[in-house]
């Protein structure tokens, strides 16, 4: 018996024209909201030094809230600075994929960071990127973080469950949600033996206040939850209890 692809993969070709039209409509609506205003780097808090690099797409850039203090970067730093002196930088852009984020990092100075937090994947899913390419590009990004920025711990946000995004039509929820799950499974397989990499799943209650007004990006409440969960994961590791090595 030959290998039969999952049903959601089999229906992609006949549904391609419909998916393209729906994707263009959703993209226009999602991009109405701007990236959050405010600083994208800074230093605050007291305690042992902790240098944090945040890399992301529109969610990393804070689309859905007005100011970075209410976005992932602000919420993460606010949680970490209670016990650490946090030097941080945000490198994020609406529409970023794993590949384009790696390119974007190429123009950044090779400053050393203790921790990298990744908020990527939705745009890779939206492009229905082959899982094999997703794995290769995620591996390339992690290697780039280690080599150029001397990152010692990498915290990867799992691709969110797109099957619950209210802006998506039900059929597109199914197709993209199933693809996102496969990408997360592949990522988990790849990092299982990487002591420096952690996959962090944000379990969201998909209530009306969990999403921004576009039905696609996080709300301030979700960013706060995301930032706190990520901070908890970071502080559970030894990296958060020691200063960066010179």
């Amino acid at each position: 018996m030959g290998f039969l692809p999952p049903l959601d993969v089999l229906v992609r070709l006949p549904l391609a024209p419909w998916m393209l039209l729906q994707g263009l409509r959703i993209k226009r609506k999602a991009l109405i909201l701007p990236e959050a205003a405010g600083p994208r780097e800074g230093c605050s808090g007291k305690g042992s030094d902790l240098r944090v690099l945040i890399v992301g797409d529109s969610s990393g850039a804070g689309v859905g809230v007005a100011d970075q203090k209410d976005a992932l970067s602000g919420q993460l730093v606010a949680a970490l600075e209670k016990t650490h002196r946090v030097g941080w930088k945000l490198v994020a852009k609406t529409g970023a994929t794993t590949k384009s984020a790696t390119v974007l990092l190429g123009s950044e100075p090779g400053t050393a960071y203790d921790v990298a937090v990744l908020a990527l994947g939705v745009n890779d899913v939206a492009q229905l990127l082959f899982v094999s390419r997703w794995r290769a590009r995620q591996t390339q990004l992690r290697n780039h973080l280690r080599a150029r920025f001397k990152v010692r711990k990498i915290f990867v946000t799992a691709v969110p469950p797109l099957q619950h995004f209210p802006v998506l039509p039900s059929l597109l929820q199914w197709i993209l949600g199933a693809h996102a799950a496969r990408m997360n499974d592949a990522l988990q397989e790849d990092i299982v033996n990487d002591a420096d990499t952690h996959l962090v799943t944000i379990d969201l209650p998909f209530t009306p206040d969990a999403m921004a007004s576009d039905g696609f990006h996080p709300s301030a409440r979700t960013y706060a939850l995301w930032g706190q969960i990520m901070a908890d994961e970071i502080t559970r590791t030894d990296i958060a209890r020691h200063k960066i090595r010179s």
Side-chain angles (χ1 to χ4, degrees):
M1 180 181 294
F3 172 75
L4 184 65
L7 182 58
D8 65 281
V9 175
L10 290 173
V11 301
R12 289 180 192 174
L13 184 58
L15 291 178
W18 176 87
M19 291 172 62
L20 177 61
L21 290 174
Q22 290 296 318
L24 291 173
R25 182 186 67 82
I26 293 164
K27 184 176 182 180
R28 285 196 299 269
K29 184 176 181 181
L31 292 180
I32 290 174
L33 299 180
E35 296 181 357
R40 295 200 173 199
E41 60 182 311
C43 185
S44 59
K46 294 182 179 180
S48 58
D49 288 345
L50 185 66
R51 299 182 186 180
V52 181
L53 176 63
I54 305 160
V55 183
D57 51 25
S58 56
S59 63
V63 171
V65 295
D67 195 276
Q68 290 293 343
K69 66 180 175 59
D70 297 315
L72 172 62
S73 62
Q75 295 290 349
L76 175 62
V77 172
L80 289 172
E81 69 182 6
K82 296 174 183 177
T83 53
H84 299 87
R85 186 171 183 270
V86 185
W88 63 277
K89 184 164 189 177
L90 170 65
V91 179
K93 185 177 181 179
T94 295
T97 61
T98 302
K99 181 179 180 180
S100 68
T102 304
V103 172
L104 194 62
L105 286 169
S107 62
E108 293 292 324
T111 305
Y113 291 93
D114 297 292
V115 169
V117 171
L118 306 185
L120 294 163
V122 169
N123 294 308
D124 296 277
V125 173
Q127 294 179 3
L128 293 174
L129 185 70
F130 289 134
V131 173
S132 58
R133 291 184 182 175
W134 157 257
R135 301 175 89 148
R137 290 175 183 180
Q138 282 279 311
T139 297
Q140 181 183 19
L141 174 57
R142 295 195 302 275
N143 288 339
H144 187 66
L145 289 168
R146 296 175 184 122
R148 182 175 178 83
F149 301 100
K150 306 298 185 280
V151 170
R152 297 163 61 191
K153 291 287 184 180
I154 303 170
F155 295 85
V156 184
T157 306
V159 184
L162 276 77
Q163 66 270 24
H164 297 306
F165 279 29
V167 72
L168 299 176
S170 57
L171 192 56
L172 209 50
Q173 285 180 330
W174 170 54
I175 291 172
L176 295 182
H179 196 55
R182 280 192 291 273
M183 292 171 92
N184 281 331
D185 289 344
L187 187 57
Q188 184 62 68
E189 289 178 5
D190 288 346
I191 68 174
V192 69
N193 294 318
D194 288 354
D196 68 347
T197 306
H198 305 265
L199 183 64
V200 182
T201 300
I202 312 299
D203 291 322
L204 294 177
F206 276 87
T207 53
D209 62 346
M211 307 295 286
S213 58
D214 62 359
F216 191 82
H217 290 97
S219 66
R221 175 175 177 269
T222 295
Y223 279 125
L225 178 65
W226 186 1
Q228 186 62 60
I229 290 174
M230 192 62 74
D232 290 344
E233 289 292 325
I234 292 171
T235 54
R236 270 197 283 267
T237 69
D238 289 338
I239 193 73
R241 294 191 287 273
H242 298 87
K243 291 183 179 181
I244 190 166
R245 293 175 296 194
S246 58

